[in-house]
Amino acid sequence: MPELFLSDEILMGIEKPSRYIGHEINMTVKDPNEVDIRFALCFPDVYEIGMSYLGIQILYDMFNKRDDTYCERVYSPWPDLDKKMREEGIPLFTLETQTPVIDFDFLGITIQYEMCYTNILQVIDLSGIPLIATERTKEHPIIIGGGPCTYNPEPIADFFDMFYIGEGEVSYDALFNLYKEYKSTEMTREEFLRRAASIEGIYVPSLYEVRYNPDGTVESYKPLYENVPTKIKKVIVTDFDKVSYPERPVIPYLRATQDRVVLEVMRGCIRGCRFCQAGMIYRPTRQKSVEMLKKYADTLVANTGYDEISLSSLSTSDYEELPELINYLIDTFKERHINISLPSLRIDAFSLDVMSKVQDIRKVSLTFAPEAGSQRLRDVINKGLTEEVILDGSRQAFEGGWNKVKLYFMMGLPTETMEDVEGIAELSEKITELYFDTVPKEKRIGSVQITASASYFVPKPFTPFQWAPMLSRDKYLEHAYHVKDTINKQLNKKRIKFAYHDEDISIIEAVYARGDRRLSKLILDVYKRGQIFDAWTEFFVMDNYLNAFNDLGIDYKFYTERERSRDEVFPWDHIDAGVSRDFLLREWENALNGKVTPNCRAQCSGCGSTSFKCGVCFESRT
């Protein structure tokens, strides 16, 4: 095994040194001298967060199955090590071979959250690579970004050589084969990028010209060359059973945020919630067969030693073979005391039988997501839940033995009124009262506890709400305070806890989510002011952003609080996410009229996803 890059003195002087030493169980070991491509796979956040992300494990496993490629991992150094590396001129390195990132062929960065943008600059900067893509030469790694934020990559376009739009299992083989030709010939970096742009799902921002209208909106995105596509369409896996999946995931030595076996049961979601970007960009819904999932469960438990299995999807309740899968997992792993975790459950599809079986292993709090307090607003966002269904699901949960319920809401949704906001408190109260009406006194174990959390709604690209303005900061706080005041006037106030998300972080998230290429200057500015780990409240400094907005002459409300016209050109309109603009506009009109759209299995709404010829769009119905 390679010698550690950091000295014992440095490792002993920082928090959690095991973040940086590698050598974990199931780590891939290869001889770097015997491969053609070295790929540094980066999650731009702290190790514990990055190690919890399934996408990293999938790509790591898939790349390393190629004999000609060695994929290694790198994460953002925590601020204590970041400071030490800058002071002593230590370059960022990978965990597997402790090799400086600058020596790799690719630096691949997965971009899950807009508030990691300054960490992207941290990673590039600490690697010793020029921050601006056009300043790099053939001696530098190709920097490629992937993940949900690439559906509007424009705010970070200046820092990336290319973006991968869609699911990583599809086009990397073609890209790697082209890269080997580039590496072994006189092909220039620009020639490589131009040829890469012809690969499905690859977007090379330097090959496009952006023009703006006098009012600051985008006039057009146009390719600079004839052979560069006008639109970049996402790529997706069409046969979900034949796709690569890691059977020996890397096991960290310290506890990761998600420290368990993960079974990805589906991609996509049939529901069509109008606020949910993931529900739109991951269409169409595709399922894994239950037999394949059983096989993976057996193998992964044997190869990891984890004591919990989590079913991963956007809406696990909608997996059609869920009862058979749950029964198999319970019967197979009960004697080994392995817990079954069921996130992303919908109350209307919740099974009392499943609840009772799961609780026999280990009882945990249940999480429901009504999203809005009133029925009117739930119809606006197309949540598809009535209060009757929510209460019935809660009753079943209480009958199943639970007394702790978490409720997730959003504030600032389009058309929201103060009456809608009061509904958050009132629904929490009704669920609390339902517990006492449902569970006899002699059967209660402890008291009921309701935790209601509200996030600040951020309109995202490729959702029907991409035309909507964001609620102002003052209005958001006014709504949050009103919920707290309403709860404090209720009978069961001591049994209800309410928390709301940081308003300033959400504002910057919205600026990035809806931003254009001009924001690269903002990101670079706040990074130079020392801003990293923006997603962490303790490190986020709003004054850095306010000063940068002022110095650069940027009105952030242009990106957040402005309602878009129906025909405005968006910064992401040259990306094709598979859902048509006409469909999204129809859904925006339906939202304003409070009209509910059926889910994909009940009725096709013509979103455009049939073009992929797979998944729920082509499921046979009797």
Side-chain angles (χ1 to χ4, degrees), residues 448-450 487-488 490-497:
V448 63
Q449 180 180 321
I450 307 297
I487 289 174
N488 286 333
Q490 294 176 161
L491 179 64
N492 292 293
K493 61 184 180 181
K494 292 184 178 180
R495 297 179 175 90
I496 301 172
K497 295 181 179 180

Side-chain angles (χ1 to χ4, degrees), residues 297-298 326-336 338:
D298 295 338
I326 289 295
N327 287 334
Y328 174 82
L329 296 177
I330 294 290
D331 294 342
T332 303
F333 298 111
K334 183 176 181 179
E335 295 301 319
R336 285 185 264 176
I338 294 175

Side-chain angles (χ1 to χ4, degrees), residues 58-71:
I58 290 175
L59 292 178
Y60 181 82
D61 175 75
M62 183 180 75
F63 292 165
N64 280 319
K65 284 177 178 174
R66 288 181 58 121
D67 292 335
D68 62 356
T69 303
Y70 190 8
C71 180

